mmCIF file of all heavy atoms in Angstrom:
data_model
loop_
_atom_site.group_PDB
_atom_site.id
_atom_site.type_symbol
_atom_site.label_atom_id
_atom_site.label_comp_id
_atom_site.label_asym_id
_atom_site.label_seq_id
_atom_site.Cartn_x
_atom_site.Cartn_y
_atom_site.Cartn_z
ATOM 1 N N GLU A 984 6.213 23.610 -2.537
ATOM 2 C CA GLU A 984 7.317 24.437 -2.068
ATOM 3 C C GLU A 984 8.483 24.390 -3.042
ATOM 4 O O GLU A 984 8.701 23.381 -3.718
ATOM 5 C CB GLU A 984 7.794 23.968 -0.686
ATOM 6 C CG GLU A 984 8.344 22.568 -0.647
ATOM 7 C CD GLU A 984 8.945 22.198 0.694
ATOM 8 O OE1 GLU A 984 8.942 23.031 1.621
ATOM 9 O OE2 GLU A 984 9.434 21.066 0.807
ATOM 10 N N LEU A 985 9.244 25.474 -3.064
ATOM 11 C CA LEU A 985 10.422 25.541 -3.905
ATOM 12 C C LEU A 985 11.501 24.619 -3.345
ATOM 13 O O LEU A 985 11.762 24.607 -2.141
ATOM 14 C CB LEU A 985 10.952 26.975 -3.953
ATOM 15 C CG LEU A 985 12.275 27.164 -4.671
ATOM 16 C CD1 LEU A 985 12.125 26.932 -6.165
ATOM 17 C CD2 LEU A 985 12.830 28.562 -4.401
ATOM 18 N N VAL A 986 12.132 23.869 -4.231
ATOM 19 C CA VAL A 986 13.266 23.025 -3.848
ATOM 20 C C VAL A 986 14.568 23.696 -4.290
ATOM 21 O O VAL A 986 15.478 23.906 -3.487
ATOM 22 C CB VAL A 986 13.150 21.626 -4.473
ATOM 23 C CG1 VAL A 986 14.373 20.787 -4.134
ATOM 24 C CG2 VAL A 986 11.867 20.935 -4.021
ATOM 25 N N ALA A 987 14.664 23.993 -5.575
ATOM 26 C CA ALA A 987 15.878 24.599 -6.107
ATOM 27 C C ALA A 987 15.555 25.257 -7.442
ATOM 28 O O ALA A 987 14.674 24.797 -8.166
ATOM 29 C CB ALA A 987 16.978 23.569 -6.279
ATOM 30 N N VAL A 988 16.288 26.318 -7.763
ATOM 31 C CA VAL A 988 16.042 27.032 -9.005
ATOM 32 C C VAL A 988 17.347 27.634 -9.513
ATOM 33 O O VAL A 988 18.223 28.001 -8.719
ATOM 34 C CB VAL A 988 14.977 28.133 -8.818
ATOM 35 C CG1 VAL A 988 15.453 29.191 -7.842
ATOM 36 C CG2 VAL A 988 14.581 28.759 -10.145
ATOM 37 N N VAL A 989 17.447 27.701 -10.840
ATOM 38 C CA VAL A 989 18.548 28.399 -11.497
ATOM 39 C C VAL A 989 17.969 29.621 -12.188
ATOM 40 O O VAL A 989 17.085 29.495 -13.031
ATOM 41 C CB VAL A 989 19.259 27.508 -12.535
ATOM 42 C CG1 VAL A 989 20.385 28.294 -13.203
ATOM 43 C CG2 VAL A 989 19.809 26.253 -11.886
ATOM 44 N N ASN A 990 18.460 30.803 -11.827
ATOM 45 C CA ASN A 990 17.987 32.060 -12.398
ATOM 46 C C ASN A 990 18.956 32.551 -13.456
ATOM 47 O O ASN A 990 20.180 32.511 -13.267
ATOM 48 C CB ASN A 990 17.872 33.127 -11.308
ATOM 49 C CG ASN A 990 16.797 32.816 -10.304
ATOM 50 O OD1 ASN A 990 15.630 32.709 -10.652
ATOM 51 N ND2 ASN A 990 17.181 32.654 -9.050
ATOM 52 N N SER A 991 18.385 33.050 -14.560
ATOM 53 C CA SER A 991 19.190 33.734 -15.572
ATOM 54 C C SER A 991 18.307 34.782 -16.226
ATOM 55 O O SER A 991 18.019 34.713 -17.429
ATOM 56 C CB SER A 991 19.757 32.748 -16.589
ATOM 57 O OG SER A 991 18.720 31.990 -17.182
ATOM 58 N N ASP A 992 17.854 35.717 -15.422
ATOM 59 C CA ASP A 992 16.876 36.718 -15.844
ATOM 60 C C ASP A 992 17.579 38.028 -16.151
ATOM 61 O O ASP A 992 17.980 38.750 -15.246
ATOM 62 C CB ASP A 992 15.833 36.894 -14.734
ATOM 63 C CG ASP A 992 14.659 37.744 -15.164
ATOM 64 O OD1 ASP A 992 14.794 38.538 -16.114
ATOM 65 O OD2 ASP A 992 13.601 37.631 -14.529
ATOM 66 N N ARG A 993 17.713 38.339 -17.440
ATOM 67 C CA ARG A 993 18.417 39.551 -17.843
ATOM 68 C C ARG A 993 17.651 40.803 -17.446
ATOM 69 O O ARG A 993 18.239 41.779 -16.999
ATOM 70 C CB ARG A 993 18.628 39.544 -19.356
ATOM 71 C CG ARG A 993 19.481 38.414 -19.859
ATOM 72 C CD ARG A 993 19.606 38.484 -21.371
ATOM 73 N NE ARG A 993 20.275 37.328 -21.927
ATOM 74 C CZ ARG A 993 20.445 37.135 -23.225
ATOM 75 N NH1 ARG A 993 20.011 38.036 -24.081
ATOM 76 N NH2 ARG A 993 21.060 36.061 -23.664
ATOM 77 N N ARG A 994 16.316 40.759 -17.601
ATOM 78 C CA ARG A 994 15.523 41.955 -17.335
ATOM 79 C C ARG A 994 15.598 42.369 -15.880
ATOM 80 O O ARG A 994 15.671 43.550 -15.549
ATOM 81 C CB ARG A 994 14.069 41.716 -17.730
ATOM 82 C CG ARG A 994 13.864 41.570 -19.230
ATOM 83 C CD ARG A 994 12.392 41.407 -19.575
ATOM 84 N NE ARG A 994 12.162 41.146 -20.989
ATOM 85 C CZ ARG A 994 10.976 40.963 -21.534
ATOM 86 N NH1 ARG A 994 9.907 41.001 -20.789
ATOM 87 N NH2 ARG A 994 10.855 40.722 -22.819
ATOM 88 N N ARG A 995 15.572 41.385 -14.978
ATOM 89 C CA ARG A 995 15.591 41.690 -13.548
ATOM 90 C C ARG A 995 16.989 41.572 -12.958
ATOM 91 O O ARG A 995 17.181 41.753 -11.757
ATOM 92 C CB ARG A 995 14.641 40.747 -12.804
ATOM 93 C CG ARG A 995 13.207 40.829 -13.280
ATOM 94 C CD ARG A 995 12.387 39.717 -12.675
ATOM 95 N NE ARG A 995 11.205 39.441 -13.472
ATOM 96 C CZ ARG A 995 10.528 38.310 -13.428
ATOM 97 N NH1 ARG A 995 10.915 37.346 -12.621
ATOM 98 N NH2 ARG A 995 9.470 38.136 -14.178
ATOM 99 N N ASN A 996 17.972 41.220 -13.806
ATOM 100 C CA ASN A 996 19.345 41.054 -13.344
ATOM 101 C C ASN A 996 19.423 40.050 -12.196
ATOM 102 O O ASN A 996 20.042 40.299 -11.158
ATOM 103 C CB ASN A 996 19.937 42.403 -12.909
ATOM 104 C CG ASN A 996 21.450 42.346 -12.796
ATOM 105 O OD1 ASN A 996 22.110 41.584 -13.481
ATOM 106 N ND2 ASN A 996 21.992 43.166 -11.912
ATOM 107 N N LEU A 997 18.768 38.889 -12.404
ATOM 108 C CA LEU A 997 18.786 37.847 -11.400
ATOM 109 C C LEU A 997 19.526 36.641 -11.948
ATOM 110 O O LEU A 997 19.123 36.080 -12.972
ATOM 111 C CB LEU A 997 17.358 37.434 -11.012
ATOM 112 C CG LEU A 997 16.537 38.454 -10.232
ATOM 113 C CD1 LEU A 997 15.116 37.939 -10.041
ATOM 114 C CD2 LEU A 997 17.176 38.730 -8.885
ATOM 115 N N TYR A 998 20.605 36.244 -11.287
ATOM 116 C CA TYR A 998 21.407 35.119 -11.735
ATOM 117 C C TYR A 998 21.794 34.265 -10.543
ATOM 118 O O TYR A 998 21.876 34.741 -9.408
ATOM 119 C CB TYR A 998 22.665 35.601 -12.461
ATOM 120 C CG TYR A 998 22.386 36.374 -13.720
ATOM 121 C CD1 TYR A 998 22.277 37.758 -13.698
ATOM 122 C CD2 TYR A 998 22.210 35.716 -14.934
ATOM 123 C CE1 TYR A 998 21.993 38.464 -14.845
ATOM 124 C CE2 TYR A 998 21.935 36.427 -16.096
ATOM 125 C CZ TYR A 998 21.834 37.801 -16.038
ATOM 126 O OH TYR A 998 21.551 38.493 -17.179
ATOM 127 N N GLY A 999 22.043 32.989 -10.822
ATOM 128 C CA GLY A 999 22.529 32.099 -9.777
ATOM 129 C C GLY A 999 21.509 31.071 -9.368
ATOM 130 O O GLY A 999 20.455 30.926 -9.985
ATOM 131 N N THR A 1000 21.826 30.358 -8.323
ATOM 132 C CA THR A 1000 20.981 29.271 -7.840
ATOM 133 C C THR A 1000 20.448 29.575 -6.445
ATOM 134 O O THR A 1000 21.115 30.256 -5.653
ATOM 135 C CB THR A 1000 21.749 27.939 -7.795
ATOM 136 O OG1 THR A 1000 22.906 28.109 -6.961
ATOM 137 C CG2 THR A 1000 22.210 27.524 -9.185
ATOM 138 N N ASN A 1001 19.264 29.051 -6.152
ATOM 139 C CA ASN A 1001 18.671 29.142 -4.828
ATOM 140 C C ASN A 1001 18.179 27.770 -4.414
ATOM 141 O O ASN A 1001 17.664 27.015 -5.246
ATOM 142 C CB ASN A 1001 17.503 30.131 -4.805
ATOM 143 C CG ASN A 1001 17.959 31.561 -4.931
ATOM 144 O OD1 ASN A 1001 18.883 31.991 -4.238
ATOM 145 N ND2 ASN A 1001 17.332 32.313 -5.804
ATOM 146 N N TYR A 1002 18.320 27.469 -3.143
ATOM 147 C CA TYR A 1002 17.884 26.187 -2.599
ATOM 148 C C TYR A 1002 17.027 26.402 -1.358
ATOM 149 O O TYR A 1002 17.250 27.355 -0.594
ATOM 150 C CB TYR A 1002 19.081 25.323 -2.190
ATOM 151 C CG TYR A 1002 19.961 24.864 -3.308
ATOM 152 C CD1 TYR A 1002 21.062 25.604 -3.719
ATOM 153 C CD2 TYR A 1002 19.707 23.653 -3.972
ATOM 154 C CE1 TYR A 1002 21.880 25.182 -4.749
ATOM 155 C CE2 TYR A 1002 20.523 23.216 -4.995
ATOM 156 C CZ TYR A 1002 21.615 23.978 -5.382
ATOM 157 O OH TYR A 1002 22.415 23.543 -6.400
ATOM 158 N N ALA A 1003 16.088 25.490 -1.153
ATOM 159 C CA ALA A 1003 15.389 25.461 0.122
ATOM 160 C C ALA A 1003 16.388 25.068 1.211
ATOM 161 O O ALA A 1003 17.296 24.272 0.972
ATOM 162 C CB ALA A 1003 14.246 24.446 0.074
ATOM 163 N N ASP A 1004 16.220 25.631 2.390
ATOM 164 C CA ASP A 1004 17.148 25.322 3.484
ATOM 165 C C ASP A 1004 17.213 23.827 3.771
ATOM 166 O O ASP A 1004 18.273 23.298 4.122
ATOM 167 C CB ASP A 1004 16.728 26.076 4.756
ATOM 168 C CG ASP A 1004 16.990 27.567 4.663
ATOM 169 O OD1 ASP A 1004 17.784 27.985 3.792
ATOM 170 O OD2 ASP A 1004 16.389 28.314 5.457
ATOM 171 N N SER A 1005 16.101 23.150 3.604
ATOM 172 C CA SER A 1005 16.026 21.735 3.947
ATOM 173 C C SER A 1005 16.839 20.840 3.020
ATOM 174 O O SER A 1005 17.095 19.679 3.352
ATOM 175 C CB SER A 1005 14.564 21.266 3.943
ATOM 176 O OG SER A 1005 13.991 21.450 2.665
ATOM 177 N N VAL A 1006 17.243 21.357 1.857
ATOM 178 C CA VAL A 1006 17.974 20.523 0.904
ATOM 179 C C VAL A 1006 19.402 21.001 0.666
ATOM 180 O O VAL A 1006 20.161 20.346 -0.052
ATOM 181 C CB VAL A 1006 17.235 20.425 -0.447
ATOM 182 C CG1 VAL A 1006 15.795 19.964 -0.234
ATOM 183 C CG2 VAL A 1006 17.286 21.724 -1.224
ATOM 184 N N LYS A 1007 19.770 22.136 1.252
ATOM 185 C CA LYS A 1007 21.121 22.666 1.049
ATOM 186 C C LYS A 1007 22.158 21.657 1.516
ATOM 187 O O LYS A 1007 22.037 21.062 2.584
ATOM 188 C CB LYS A 1007 21.288 23.979 1.816
ATOM 189 C CG LYS A 1007 20.598 25.163 1.169
ATOM 190 C CD LYS A 1007 20.823 26.437 1.977
ATOM 191 C CE LYS A 1007 20.113 27.616 1.328
ATOM 192 N NZ LYS A 1007 20.257 28.862 2.118
ATOM 193 N N GLY A 1008 23.172 21.471 0.683
ATOM 194 C CA GLY A 1008 24.225 20.515 1.000
ATOM 195 C C GLY A 1008 23.920 19.098 0.570
ATOM 196 O O GLY A 1008 24.807 18.241 0.585
ATOM 197 N N ARG A 1009 22.663 18.833 0.190
ATOM 198 C CA ARG A 1009 22.296 17.480 -0.238
ATOM 199 C C ARG A 1009 21.875 17.436 -1.705
ATOM 200 O O ARG A 1009 22.114 16.452 -2.404
ATOM 201 C CB ARG A 1009 21.147 16.942 0.622
ATOM 202 C CG ARG A 1009 21.457 16.864 2.100
ATOM 203 C CD ARG A 1009 20.340 16.158 2.867
ATOM 204 N NE ARG A 1009 19.066 16.872 2.787
ATOM 205 C CZ ARG A 1009 17.935 16.334 2.312
ATOM 206 N NH1 ARG A 1009 17.917 15.094 1.859
ATOM 207 N NH2 ARG A 1009 16.816 17.057 2.290
ATOM 208 N N PHE A 1010 21.224 18.493 -2.165
ATOM 209 C CA PHE A 1010 20.730 18.547 -3.541
ATOM 210 C C PHE A 1010 21.576 19.537 -4.344
ATOM 211 O O PHE A 1010 22.023 20.560 -3.826
ATOM 212 C CB PHE A 1010 19.283 19.022 -3.588
ATOM 213 C CG PHE A 1010 18.272 18.061 -3.031
ATOM 214 C CD1 PHE A 1010 18.643 16.935 -2.323
ATOM 215 C CD2 PHE A 1010 16.909 18.293 -3.211
ATOM 216 C CE1 PHE A 1010 17.703 16.058 -1.801
ATOM 217 C CE2 PHE A 1010 15.955 17.436 -2.706
ATOM 218 C CZ PHE A 1010 16.360 16.318 -1.998
ATOM 219 N N THR A 1011 21.747 19.231 -5.619
ATOM 220 C CA THR A 1011 22.464 20.129 -6.519
ATOM 221 C C THR A 1011 21.669 20.275 -7.803
ATOM 222 O O THR A 1011 21.323 19.272 -8.441
ATOM 223 C CB THR A 1011 23.859 19.588 -6.842
ATOM 224 O OG1 THR A 1011 24.601 19.410 -5.624
ATOM 225 C CG2 THR A 1011 24.614 20.564 -7.739
ATOM 226 N N ILE A 1012 21.419 21.519 -8.190
ATOM 227 C CA ILE A 1012 20.706 21.779 -9.435
ATOM 228 C C ILE A 1012 21.694 22.270 -10.480
ATOM 229 O O ILE A 1012 22.636 23.002 -10.161
ATOM 230 C CB ILE A 1012 19.571 22.803 -9.228
ATOM 231 C CG1 ILE A 1012 18.697 22.892 -10.481
ATOM 232 C CG2 ILE A 1012 20.112 24.174 -8.836
ATOM 233 C CD1 ILE A 1012 17.418 23.693 -10.294
ATOM 234 N N SER A 1013 21.473 21.845 -11.702
ATOM 235 C CA SER A 1013 22.293 22.314 -12.807
ATOM 236 C C SER A 1013 21.394 22.544 -14.015
ATOM 237 O O SER A 1013 20.269 22.042 -14.063
ATOM 238 C CB SER A 1013 23.392 21.312 -13.143
ATOM 239 O OG SER A 1013 22.836 20.063 -13.515
ATOM 240 N N ARG A 1014 21.914 23.292 -14.964
ATOM 241 C CA ARG A 1014 21.116 23.621 -16.139
ATOM 242 C C ARG A 1014 22.010 23.631 -17.370
ATOM 243 O O ARG A 1014 23.148 24.104 -17.318
ATOM 244 C CB ARG A 1014 20.452 24.982 -15.961
ATOM 245 C CG ARG A 1014 19.508 25.359 -17.073
ATOM 246 C CD ARG A 1014 18.779 26.639 -16.728
ATOM 247 N NE ARG A 1014 18.650 27.483 -17.880
ATOM 248 C CZ ARG A 1014 18.217 28.733 -17.852
ATOM 249 N NH1 ARG A 1014 17.889 29.289 -16.699
ATOM 250 N NH2 ARG A 1014 18.117 29.448 -18.948
ATOM 251 N N ASP A 1015 21.467 23.102 -18.453
ATOM 252 C CA ASP A 1015 22.136 23.127 -19.746
ATOM 253 C C ASP A 1015 21.343 24.096 -20.627
ATOM 254 O O ASP A 1015 20.262 23.755 -21.101
ATOM 255 C CB ASP A 1015 22.169 21.728 -20.360
ATOM 256 C CG ASP A 1015 22.990 21.671 -21.641
ATOM 257 O OD1 ASP A 1015 23.001 22.672 -22.391
ATOM 258 O OD2 ASP A 1015 23.607 20.631 -21.893
ATOM 259 N N ASN A 1016 21.875 25.296 -20.817
ATOM 260 C CA ASN A 1016 21.144 26.314 -21.568
ATOM 261 C C ASN A 1016 20.940 25.924 -23.031
ATOM 262 O O ASN A 1016 19.920 26.249 -23.635
ATOM 263 C CB ASN A 1016 21.885 27.645 -21.492
ATOM 264 C CG ASN A 1016 21.883 28.219 -20.091
ATOM 265 O OD1 ASN A 1016 20.937 28.031 -19.331
ATOM 266 N ND2 ASN A 1016 22.947 28.911 -19.730
ATOM 267 N N ALA A 1017 21.900 25.238 -23.598
ATOM 268 C CA ALA A 1017 21.801 24.873 -25.013
ATOM 269 C C ALA A 1017 20.696 23.846 -25.264
ATOM 270 O O ALA A 1017 20.075 23.833 -26.319
ATOM 271 C CB ALA A 1017 23.134 24.332 -25.499
ATOM 272 N N LYS A 1018 20.451 23.006 -24.270
ATOM 273 C CA LYS A 1018 19.458 21.939 -24.436
ATOM 274 C C LYS A 1018 18.146 22.241 -23.713
ATOM 275 O O LYS A 1018 17.218 21.435 -23.778
ATOM 276 C CB LYS A 1018 20.026 20.616 -23.919
ATOM 277 C CG LYS A 1018 21.235 20.122 -24.683
ATOM 278 C CD LYS A 1018 21.745 18.798 -24.107
ATOM 279 C CE LYS A 1018 22.950 18.313 -24.877
ATOM 280 N NZ LYS A 1018 23.480 17.038 -24.314
ATOM 281 N N ASN A 1019 18.082 23.369 -23.018
ATOM 282 C CA ASN A 1019 16.882 23.733 -22.246
ATOM 283 C C ASN A 1019 16.517 22.640 -21.249
ATOM 284 O O ASN A 1019 15.344 22.238 -21.132
ATOM 285 C CB ASN A 1019 15.694 24.024 -23.167
ATOM 286 C CG ASN A 1019 15.860 25.322 -23.929
ATOM 287 O OD1 ASN A 1019 16.585 26.218 -23.503
ATOM 288 N ND2 ASN A 1019 15.201 25.422 -25.073
ATOM 289 N N THR A 1020 17.504 22.154 -20.551
ATOM 290 C CA THR A 1020 17.268 21.110 -19.572
ATOM 291 C C THR A 1020 17.785 21.527 -18.197
ATOM 292 O O THR A 1020 18.667 22.383 -18.081
ATOM 293 C CB THR A 1020 17.957 19.790 -19.956
ATOM 294 O OG1 THR A 1020 19.366 20.022 -20.043
ATOM 295 C CG2 THR A 1020 17.443 19.267 -21.281
ATOM 296 N N THR A 1021 17.222 20.930 -17.177
ATOM 297 C CA THR A 1021 17.713 21.104 -15.837
ATOM 298 C C THR A 1021 17.756 19.752 -15.147
ATOM 299 O O THR A 1021 16.921 18.876 -15.430
ATOM 300 C CB THR A 1021 16.854 22.083 -15.027
ATOM 301 O OG1 THR A 1021 17.443 22.272 -13.722
ATOM 302 C CG2 THR A 1021 15.444 21.567 -14.828
ATOM 303 N N THR A 1022 18.728 19.573 -14.276
ATOM 304 C CA THR A 1022 18.908 18.314 -13.559
ATOM 305 C C THR A 1022 19.001 18.595 -12.067
ATOM 306 O O THR A 1022 19.646 19.565 -11.660
ATOM 307 C CB THR A 1022 20.193 17.611 -14.025
ATOM 308 O OG1 THR A 1022 20.085 17.323 -15.420
ATOM 309 C CG2 THR A 1022 20.390 16.314 -13.270
ATOM 310 N N LEU A 1023 18.347 17.770 -11.285
ATOM 311 C CA LEU A 1023 18.409 17.884 -9.829
ATOM 312 C C LEU A 1023 19.030 16.599 -9.294
ATOM 313 O O LEU A 1023 18.412 15.530 -9.354
ATOM 314 C CB LEU A 1023 17.016 18.096 -9.242
ATOM 315 C CG LEU A 1023 16.972 18.334 -7.724
ATOM 316 C CD1 LEU A 1023 17.617 19.683 -7.383
ATOM 317 C CD2 LEU A 1023 15.534 18.298 -7.217
ATOM 318 N N GLN A 1024 20.233 16.708 -8.788
ATOM 319 C CA GLN A 1024 20.904 15.573 -8.172
ATOM 320 C C GLN A 1024 20.559 15.588 -6.696
ATOM 321 O O GLN A 1024 20.879 16.557 -5.988
ATOM 322 C CB GLN A 1024 22.413 15.673 -8.372
ATOM 323 C CG GLN A 1024 23.196 14.576 -7.667
ATOM 324 C CD GLN A 1024 22.885 13.197 -8.212
ATOM 325 O OE1 GLN A 1024 22.784 13.007 -9.424
ATOM 326 N NE2 GLN A 1024 22.708 12.227 -7.319
ATOM 327 N N MET A 1025 19.937 14.525 -6.217
ATOM 328 C CA MET A 1025 19.481 14.453 -4.827
ATOM 329 C C MET A 1025 20.246 13.358 -4.107
ATOM 330 O O MET A 1025 20.144 12.187 -4.467
ATOM 331 C CB MET A 1025 17.978 14.178 -4.776
ATOM 332 C CG MET A 1025 17.147 15.168 -5.580
ATOM 333 S SD MET A 1025 15.368 14.925 -5.398
ATOM 334 C CE MET A 1025 15.179 13.341 -6.205
ATOM 335 N N ASN A 1026 21.005 13.742 -3.100
ATOM 336 C CA ASN A 1026 21.789 12.808 -2.299
ATOM 337 C C ASN A 1026 21.294 12.812 -0.861
ATOM 338 O O ASN A 1026 20.600 13.727 -0.429
ATOM 339 C CB ASN A 1026 23.266 13.187 -2.345
ATOM 340 C CG ASN A 1026 23.845 13.133 -3.733
ATOM 341 O OD1 ASN A 1026 23.480 12.296 -4.557
ATOM 342 N ND2 ASN A 1026 24.774 14.035 -4.012
ATOM 343 N N SER A 1027 21.679 11.788 -0.132
ATOM 344 C CA SER A 1027 21.310 11.670 1.282
ATOM 345 C C SER A 1027 19.809 11.875 1.484
ATOM 346 O O SER A 1027 19.369 12.619 2.365
ATOM 347 C CB SER A 1027 22.092 12.685 2.120
ATOM 348 O OG SER A 1027 23.481 12.494 1.981
ATOM 349 N N LEU A 1028 19.036 11.211 0.661
ATOM 350 C CA LEU A 1028 17.591 11.394 0.705
ATOM 351 C C LEU A 1028 17.010 10.880 2.023
ATOM 352 O O LEU A 1028 17.479 9.871 2.582
ATOM 353 C CB LEU A 1028 16.937 10.687 -0.475
ATOM 354 C CG LEU A 1028 17.067 11.448 -1.800
ATOM 355 C CD1 LEU A 1028 16.837 10.531 -2.985
ATOM 356 C CD2 LEU A 1028 16.095 12.624 -1.835
ATOM 357 N N GLN A 1029 15.985 11.585 2.484
ATOM 358 C CA GLN A 1029 15.335 11.270 3.740
ATOM 359 C C GLN A 1029 13.844 11.057 3.487
ATOM 360 O O GLN A 1029 13.299 11.551 2.493
ATOM 361 C CB GLN A 1029 15.534 12.438 4.721
ATOM 362 C CG GLN A 1029 16.968 12.816 4.945
ATOM 363 C CD GLN A 1029 17.102 14.184 5.596
ATOM 364 O OE1 GLN A 1029 16.115 14.852 5.899
ATOM 365 N NE2 GLN A 1029 18.344 14.595 5.835
#
């Protein structure tokens, strides 16, 4: 299942972040475009 994603799709004009409902408010996704990296900070883990 999808947890979180960062979109930057020029062709489809899709930008921003999406989260699964179960992780909203607890997980944060970020992306460093220059380094081609993504980080998922997970808090209040269950």
